[in-house]
Amino acid sequence: MMRTRPLKVALLGCGVVGSEVARIMTTHADDLTARIGAPVELAGVAVRRPSKVREGIDPALITTDATALLKRGDIDVAIEVIGGIEPARTLITTAFEHGISVVSANKALLAQDGAALHAAAEQAGLDLYYEAAVAGAIPLVRPMRESLAGDKINRVMGIVNGTTNFILDKMDSTGAGYQEALDEATALGYAEADPTADVEGYDAAAKAAILAGIAFHTRVRLDDVYREGMTEVSAADFASAKRMGCTIKLLAILERAADGQSVTARVHPAMIPLSHPLASVREAYNAVFVEAEAAGRLMFYGPGAGGSPTASAVLGDLVAVCRNKLAEATGPGESAYTQLPVSPMGEVVTRYHISLDVADKPGVLAQVATVFSEHGVSIDTVRQQGKDGEASLVVVTHRAADAALSGTVEALRKLDTVRGVASIMRVEGE
């Protein structure tokens, strides 16, 4: 039997995503009612600037007092799309204290304080859902939390930031430099006026922390994720990648150690073979590869940002949470039973592409090879080009630990025949 009393929703934040959530709740009200089993009603919208015109939203719903909205006693679900740490953290906690389940898109907060928020939700017997925090419209959190709950995930690798993928794709396809590609991304609305969170990897690192926690059933915080931005990636790097049959992507890579006793989480630019499915992910799209023992290799692909895609994920969570409310149940909470340590970046083993500026004279290659050998780093291929007394030397290694490679590079810098290290990039996906 259909319940007639509506489930009431408080919307915290009404920017690009929030306004789209409100629009869909209004235009698809009948469909949402049918899917949930009860009407769902937008009961209040908390904003900072009440004077701003918000098309399609009843001005009577607008308030600047989010706390009062949550405390008024009739709210069933709160949708938090404010972003940032505060006041979002306090508002989510307040919601739990007043019997309100929460749907959030706040990756930064979940990466930093996810454990505390999950604990608060569990103590109150409420839901905390956050599909929209990781990859926009791509269903990823729920499949990993629920569909793969009986499997063992060993590796997650993916493109989880649309802005950086757009920039790198333009550099690859048009030969543009970093700044030129960034300017185009800004003009098209893919990049913020201050793109630091995207291009320096902070956004991807927050998503990586959330995904690692889900994949490995352990607590991984933002500070546990190694992060390296992509601002130093150059047209020359792409030229080198093409000679290797590769392209360059900013990747989030999460791995369980072979012995199962630790995990690693990292975000950095990497060369990947053109044959790898992630190499063909273009424009501002996201894609994530999940490798599980029983299910094998799964790929999730789609738009990773934007008002409509992110709102789609928010509304999917809203339907699930409302159904749980009607059933007087809760969905899956935090699973951190393994308590695995996060290994430092120095222990990560992968391949490397190193470009050196060297003197163009006999014996240089032998000197460089000796340094690699002394540090236990095996060379796969070497390419040397020289002219007018100067040369470039490109070395691709076999798999080596990051700490060993760092020691190798430090020693190379001390050689009088090495003028400088032009670039160092990891090679993944092989």
Side-chain angles (χ1 to χ4, degrees):
M1 180 180 294
M2 180 74 69
R3 168 176 145 165
T4 57
R5 185 175 70 81
L7 291 158
K8 295 194 174 184
V9 177
L11 180 59
L12 310 180
C14 196
V16 173
V17 175
S19 59
E20 188 66 9
V21 168
R23 184 192 68 79
I24 295 173
M25 286 185 64
T26 301
T27 58
H28 295 181
D30 291 343
D31 287 337
L32 290 173
T33 296
R35 294 166 190 170
I36 291 169
V40 59
E41 175 187 313
L42 187 58
V45 181
V47 300
R48 285 187 298 175
R49 296 186 294 275
S51 60
K52 181 180 177 180
V53 176
R54 293 173 172 85
E55 188 174 342
I57 298 177
D58 184 351
L61 296 177
I62 302 296
T63 178
T64 58
D65 194 340
T67 301
L69 174 60
L70 295 172
K71 289 182 175 181
R72 73 185 209 184
D74 63 341
I75 302 298
D76 296 290
V77 182
I79 297 175
E80 184 273 306
V81 285
I82 298 171
I85 305 302
E86 288 292 355
R89 175 170 50 197
T90 297
L91 291 174
I92 291 175
T93 303
T94 300
F96 291 146
E97 291 170 350
H98 289 80
I100 302 168
S101 289
V102 173
V103 173
S104 176
N106 196 330
K107 54 189 169 289
L109 178 58
L110 289 161
Q112 178 173 304
D113 291 321
L117 295 177
H118 274 294
E122 183 177 1
Q123 183 176 4
L126 297 164
D127 277 325
L128 172 62
Y129 274 49
Y130 43 89
E131 184 69 68
V134 174
I138 303 173
L140 182 59
V141 171
R142 196 173 296 121
M144 289 176 62
R145 287 211 299 184
E146 300 177 31
S147 302
L148 296 174
D151 209 336
K152 182 180 181 182
I153 297 174
N154 291 317
R155 195 168 195 254
V156 179
M157 182 172 80
I159 299 162
V160 294
N161 183 277
T163 299
T164 56
N165 198 58
F166 179 89
I167 293 170
L168 292 173
D169 181 46
K170 289 302 175 184
M171 292 177 70
D172 184 29
S173 61
T174 70
Y178 167 76
Q179 189 60 51
E180 183 182 352
L182 172 59
D183 290 344
E184 183 176 353
T186 304
L188 292 172
Y190 291 126
E192 301 287 344
D194 179 0
T196 302
D198 293 323
V199 300
E200 293 294 352
Y202 292 101
D203 174 86
K207 295 169 182 176
I210 295 169
L211 290 176
I214 297 169
F216 306 132
H217 303 280
T218 197
R219 287 177 178 167
V220 179
R221 300 180 75 251
L222 180 58
D223 292 345
D224 296 321
V225 181
Y226 172 84
R227 177 198 56 77
E228 188 178 308
M230 48 156 277
T231 57
E232 299 302 316
V233 176
S234 67
D237 291 324
F238 273 102
S240 292
K242 287 183 178 180
R243 282 191 287 268
M244 290 179 59
C246 293
T247 188
I248 300 171
K249 299 292 186 181
L250 184 75
L251 298 177
I253 303 173
L254 322 168
E255 295 175 300
R256 187 192 301 268
D259 62 6
Q261 299 305 301
S262 64
V263 299
T264 58
R266 51 194 167 108
V267 168
H268 54 71
M271 294 182 180
I272 58 172
L274 294 175
S275 58
H276 194 284
L278 290 178
S280 62
V281 178
R282 308 297 300 274
E283 300 285 332
Y285 277 74
N286 285 188
V288 178
F289 240 75
V290 178
E291 298 179 21
E293 284 196 358
R297 303 174 79 189
L298 308 172
M299 183 169 170
F300 300 84
Y301 170 84
S308 294
T310 306
S312 171
V314 169
L315 269 295
D317 278 351
L318 177 64
V319 169
V321 170
C322 286
R323 286 172 175 170
N324 291 343
K325 280 279 185 180
L326 294 179
E328 297 182 348
T330 57
E334 182 188 36
S335 176
Y337 69 91
T338 63
Q339 299 182 18
L340 296 173
V342 181
S343 297
M345 187 62 187
E347 297 179 14
V348 170
V349 176
T350 189
R351 297 180 68 204
Y352 291 86
H353 175 282
I354 304 103
S355 180
L356 304 172
D357 294 326
V358 299
D360 186 15
K361 62 182 184 180
V364 174
L365 180 56
Q367 283 186 319
V368 169
T370 298
V371 170
F372 275 88
S373 177
E374 289 174 346
H375 288 81
V377 179
S378 176
I379 294 176
D380 181 16
T381 62
V382 178
R383 185 178 70 254
Q384 184 173 5
Q385 293 177 322
K387 185 178 180 181
D388 299 329
E390 297 296 329
S392 64
L393 192 66
V394 175
V395 179
V396 179
T397 74
H398 288 289
R399 290 174 62 82
D402 187 85
L405 195 282
S406 296
T408 303
V409 171
E410 185 177 348
L412 288 171
R413 294 183 193 277
K414 295 177 181 177
L415 294 177
D416 57 6
T417 52
V418 174
R419 310 296 192 216
V421 180
S423 69
I424 304 171
M425 192 165 294
R426 296 167 183 86
V427 182
E428 300 286 347
E430 296 184 309

